[in-house]
Amino acid sequence: GLRTSHSCCGNVRSCATLATRVATSSGMRVLVGALVLGLSLYFIAINAHFFVAHEPAELGKYLGIRGVLLAHIAGGAVALVTGPFQLSKALRVRRRALHRRMGQAYVLAIAVSAPCAVFMTFTTARELGWPYVLSLQAWVSVWIVSTGLAYRYARLARFDLHAEWMTRSYLV
């Protein structure tokens, strides 16, 4: 192998191995998880005004379907906040019952939020345009399917596939 002058490792391959270990260390995962959670909470905070909005001008095209909008936002907020914890290996290993309960909350949140998203896209399609609506429909379809498959694989005790599909669900 190629030699380097770095004292931390003897060759390029061991430097790459060291870098991979650092990047996948528990500290890095915690940092990434905290960042994802922070961004999720920020997203929720900037959209929270819909929970207290009563003025027609503020609700705009959602005025007639405010309840559907609130259910969509509430379900999405639960999914955004519980998701990062579900991806934590430490939580899965050390607190299996908590992982399961949070996973059930995540799936229930999507079961509420996703149909609301479908409904909202159809009711606001004229204002948004059909190409945009179809892209939202595809997005929510992937969200529903990936979450459904993740749930199914958990019920079948296929936890390797469950983890893959749950990661896909959260990334959507």
Side-chain angles (χ1 to χ4, degrees):
L2 296 172
R3 290 269 178 211
T4 66
S5 61
H6 300 295
S7 61
C8 67
C9 49
N11 61 47
V12 172
R13 184 177 299 149
S14 63
C15 281
T17 302
L18 178 62
T20 301
R21 285 183 186 150
V22 169
T24 59
S25 70
S26 63
M28 184 60 75
R29 285 193 303 263
V30 168
L31 180 63
V32 169
L35 178 65
V36 169
L37 181 60
L39 289 172
S40 298
L41 291 172
Y42 173 74
F43 179 78
I44 292 165
I46 63 172
N47 288 294
H49 65 92
F50 282 113
F51 281 105
V52 294
H54 298 288
E55 298 297 320
E58 189 173 4
L59 287 168
K61 64 185 169 231
Y62 300 109
L63 179 62
I65 56 169
R66 184 173 188 259
V68 175
L69 174 67
L70 295 178
H72 173 66
I73 292 172
V78 170
L80 279 172
V81 171
T82 57
F85 294 102
Q86 291 305 98
L87 301 175
S88 165
K89 183 178 180 181
L91 180 69
R92 285 192 310 269
V93 171
R94 294 185 193 132
R95 307 280 309 268
R96 185 172 222 97
L98 178 61
H99 173 78
R100 183 174 292 138
R101 295 294 174 254
M102 288 181 80
Q104 290 167 341
Y106 179 88
V107 170
L108 180 61
I110 291 169
V112 169
S113 186
C116 293
V118 171
F119 180 79
M120 288 189 309
T121 58
F122 282 126
T123 60
T124 60
R126 286 191 192 113
E127 295 178 45
L128 297 174
W130 282 104
Y132 183 64
V133 167
L134 291 175
S135 70
L136 292 175
Q137 292 293 339
W139 190 359
V140 75
S141 297
V142 170
W143 198 27
I144 292 167
V145 169
S146 60
T147 304
L149 286 171
Y151 179 77
R152 180 173 185 262
Y153 286 126
R155 299 291 296 163
L156 294 172
R158 295 289 314 272
F159 298 116
D160 55 336
L161 292 172
H162 164 69
E164 287 179 24
W165 282 103
M166 193 52 74
T167 301
R168 290 179 183 113
S169 169
Y170 188 71
L171 292 175
V172 172

